[in-house]
Amino acid sequence: MKSRQGWAELYSLDIDRAADAPVFRQIYAQLRSAILSGALRPATKLPSTRELAAQLGVSRSAVVAAFEQLLAEGYASGKTGAGTYVASDLPEPFAALRDRKKPPAPAVAIASTFRDFGDFVDVTAQNDDRPFNLGRTLVDARTAELWRKLSARTLRSFARSHLGYGDPRGMPELRKSVCDYLRAARGVRCEPEQIVITSGTQQAVDIMTRIMPRPESEVWIEDPGYALTRLALVAAGAKICPIPVDQHGINVAEGVRRAPKARAAFITSSHQFPKGVALTMARRLELLGWAREQGAWIVEDDYASEFRYGGRPLASLQGLDEAGRVIYVGTLNKALFPGLRLGYAVVPHSLVRAFVTARYLADRQPATLCQAVVAAFMEEGHFASHIRRMREAYRNQRDALVTALRSRLGDHLTVEPPDQGMHLVAYMRRGLSDVSIERAAQEHGVVVRAMSRLYVEAPAQSALMLGFSGYPQQVMAPAVARLARAFRR
Ligand SMILES: Cc1ncc(COP(=O)(O)O)c(C=O)c1O
């Protein structure tokens, strides 16, 4: 390598030929940091490209490219043939600022509603694939194969409709399939125009927080209830009113007593999260009556309703609603797999415009390629058979888990098999703290969630939530054996 000379040496320019970065990038980066540090003062004349190339032993075109980049980004000014200068209008070099006495760093500016979320928003917790994490699903070989086939077909066709902006409500084909499914399976009363494809329940809840009148007004939530709904409402500045849940579901009379003028109620009617009870017909009618009188909205989160194992399925609350007060929210992230990030809302006619506008402003539209795959999966009848097969598998997994828990931990836990959903609740018999078992279980490689953490005001019950949908039958007994060791500690 030719040794550096003169100007290049003065400003410590050095080219590393073994580096991955191209030569012109290295020259550009070194000149730029000399300018930013103040080593090269504003209005200093740079050597000619020919001269600098010779000093560095590189091609002239590399120096020209570096100068062009500096000119384009405003670090340098000049005209071809008339010399290149360090720009004279740059602010005081960072280095000079750095050397001065530092003023105290200003407090990080974030909304007060985002400061106190504690460990609920541990964004990695749901990635944990150890048994018995919540919200995980299985996909069998048949679905995996079909998914590959339909994805390949969609990508191969690469239709024009995928290249531009699409409908913010989602693809018409998918909305139609979802509409047909909900009418048949959940007794939802809807037209395709009312279906909005979302990225899942969370987005539907978020949209509702944006379009509710007076965002700071009162909202009913279930106590205990789903933390991500509560936290989304808190983050939006709503005043949450935790309403106790008993064996009949949310206690509507208590809600009316505590917050009669609430703007909305967020509920999990078919399978209350976390307790698993269904909202009785009497309570459903009471809730709808209150919403109609008050002009309040009911957001019905019908998560995991596809997985019903026994008992008489209750149709959706939305199907009973004559007054257009219910926003029905469903998710494909549970029916298929969470990585999909697709769900839907069935929105009353009077709300469609506002709902779609809020979706458009947050995120424009759902990505189309995955929607096309799901639409084909549904249209060709694979969705219905996937649900049938997984329902069978999850039922067996549930039963294996209940058997293992009763035989290993029957002295400590009371367990009833839930007739719907993807998790079960095991109540502590002897007043043991669910939080301490949650912690001990982690150390034994088992994920259980303490239900007491989902209570806001109601007296907390100590119980463990165990997800069974994500783990094959044969995993249950050995994982319960590890959980039993955590209890022994
Ligand atoms: C009560 C409840 N609703 C909805 C969901 C699904 O949320 P998403 O569709 O945003 O994945 C979950 C997932 O854990 C849940 O527990």
Side-chain angles (χ1 to χ4, degrees):
M1 202 223 296
K2 209 168 164 183
S3 70
R4 288 177 307 137
Q5 301 165 2
W7 198 90
E9 188 157 18
L10 185 64
Y11 290 103
S12 315
L13 303 191
D14 213 352
I15 302 303
D16 177 0
R17 282 166 203 287
D20 284 341
V23 169
F24 94 87
R25 271 253 141 219
Q26 296 187 42
I27 302 170
Y28 154 79
Q30 292 178 29
L31 287 174
R32 192 183 69 157
S33 59
I35 294 170
L36 287 177
S37 71
L40 268 172
R41 308 290 306 167
T44 306
K45 187 169 193 215
L46 301 180
S48 71
T49 48
R50 194 183 307 277
E51 201 182 323
L52 188 55
Q55 288 186 15
L56 291 170
V58 301
S59 75
R60 185 164 163 235
S61 61
V63 181
V64 169
F67 277 24
E68 275 171 1
Q69 187 73 30
L70 292 167
L71 285 163
E73 292 180 6
Y75 292 106
S77 60
K79 282 203 194 86
T80 327
T84 307
Y85 293 83
V86 176
S88 51
D89 55 358
L90 291 176
E92 201 177 347
F94 292 168
L97 287 176
R98 206 171 45 219
D99 293 342
R100 272 202 223 128
K101 216 164 172 252
K102 277 194 194 136
V108 181
I110 42 171
S112 59
T113 44
F114 267 91
R115 286 201 196 119
D116 290 319
F117 280 138
D119 61 354
F120 268 121
V121 187
D122 172 356
V123 289
T124 57
Q126 289 230 278
N127 290 352
D128 197 330
D129 64 358
R130 293 174 301 172
F132 303 98
N133 205 357
L134 301 180
R136 302 189 70 87
T137 67
L138 290 181
V139 166
D140 62 9
R142 182 158 169 66
T143 292
E145 187 48 36
L146 282 161
W147 208 266
R148 283 189 201 104
K149 205 175 95 194
L150 295 174
S151 302
R153 195 171 82 191
T154 307
L155 283 174
R156 252 198 319 275
S157 83
F158 206 42
R160 272 181 63 77
S161 55
H162 296 304
L163 304 182
Y165 288 111
D167 190 328
R169 292 171 301 177
M171 285 174 76
E173 301 85 330
L174 181 57
R175 283 168 31 223
K176 173 158 187 329
S177 293
V178 167
C179 187
D180 293 345
Y181 165 73
L182 292 177
R183 281 188 193 149
R186 301 295 303 131
V188 172
R189 289 196 278 190
C190 56
E191 303 299 329
E193 305 81 73
Q194 292 174 265
I195 312 278
V196 181
I197 302 298
T198 62
S199 62
T201 309
Q202 204 58 28
Q203 187 178 38
V205 169
D206 177 74
I207 291 174
M208 284 309 295
T209 68
R210 291 164 194 263
I211 62 174
M212 272 188 310
R214 296 193 303 282
E216 71 292 353
S217 49
E218 290 179 318
V219 172
W220 295 5
I221 53 162
E222 296 168 324
D223 189 10
Y226 182 42
L228 290 196
T229 291
R230 171 165 61 80
L231 296 174
L233 287 162
V234 169
K239 182 162 184 292
I240 52 161
C241 301
I243 310 299
V245 171
D246 58 25
Q247 75 275 27
H248 306 299
I250 187 169
N251 188 334
V252 180
E254 190 58 25
V256 175
R257 198 180 63 73
R258 290 189 192 184
K261 301 244 175 286
R263 292 277 105 215
F266 286 73
I267 55 156
T268 46
S269 44
S270 65
H271 185 247
Q272 201 274 333
F273 187 88
K275 295 181 96 176
V277 295
L279 190 65
T280 58
M281 189 51 77
R283 292 257 175 104
R284 285 169 189 243
L285 297 174
E286 212 182 341
L287 184 62
L288 287 168
W290 165 78
R292 189 178 53 238
E293 258 172 46
Q294 289 301 320
W297 298 112
I298 299 171
V299 179
E300 179 181 24
D301 171 0
D302 203 27
Y303 78 105
S305 58
E306 297 82 6
F307 304 116
R308 177 118 206 133
Y309 312 111
R312 208 162 54 86
L314 273 171
S316 67
L317 178 71
Q318 194 270 6
L320 295 171
D321 174 26
E322 299 286 346
R325 306 311 309 171
V326 178
I327 297 95
Y328 176 93
V329 174
T331 181
L332 294 163
N333 304 318
K334 302 268 142 160
L336 290 161
F337 47 91
L340 183 63
R341 298 317 298 157
L342 281 176
Y344 44 82
V346 182
V347 184
H349 289 289
S350 62
L351 205 61
V352 169
R353 207 180 147 77
F355 196 96
V356 175
T357 304
R359 198 240 193 268
Y360 188 64
L361 293 180
D363 185 32
R364 279 198 191 256
Q365 65 171 76
T368 55
L369 287 166
C370 263
Q371 286 185 80
V373 176
V374 179
F377 194 75
M378 290 180 99
E379 260 163 42
E380 294 172 21
H382 307 308
F383 183 71
S385 52
H386 170 83
I387 296 295
R388 266 197 305 276
R389 295 195 309 278
M390 298 327 289
R391 190 187 295 136
E392 190 55 33
Y394 293 172
R395 175 189 291 138
N396 294 336
Q397 290 163 213
R398 174 199 68 169
D399 293 346
L401 177 58
V402 170
T403 307
L405 286 171
R406 284 180 175 160
S407 92
R408 285 264 183 179
L409 282 163
D411 288 348
H412 291 287
L413 296 171
T414 314
V415 193
E416 287 305 324
D419 50 20
Q420 184 176 315
M422 301 158 70
H423 78 280
L424 59 74
V425 180
Y427 289 88
M428 296 286 194
R429 274 189 198 278
R430 301 181 178 167
L432 263 181
S433 146
D434 54 2
V435 174
S436 58
I437 295 292
E438 180 187 66
R439 210 173 304 124
Q442 278 281 349
E443 287 163 26
H444 287 81
V446 183
V447 182
V448 292
R449 303 262 176 230
M451 188 172 84
S452 64
R453 300 209 283 134
L454 299 183
Y455 285 79
V456 184
E457 285 175 0
Q461 280 184 288
S462 185
L464 302 176
M465 296 180 283
L466 292 87
F468 53 78
S469 50
Y471 308 95
Q473 245 175 294
Q474 64 274 19
V475 167
M476 301 302 180
V480 168
R482 291 204 297 279
L483 179 61
R485 283 202 284 281
F487 267 83
R488 248 175 269 138
R489 248 193 39 179

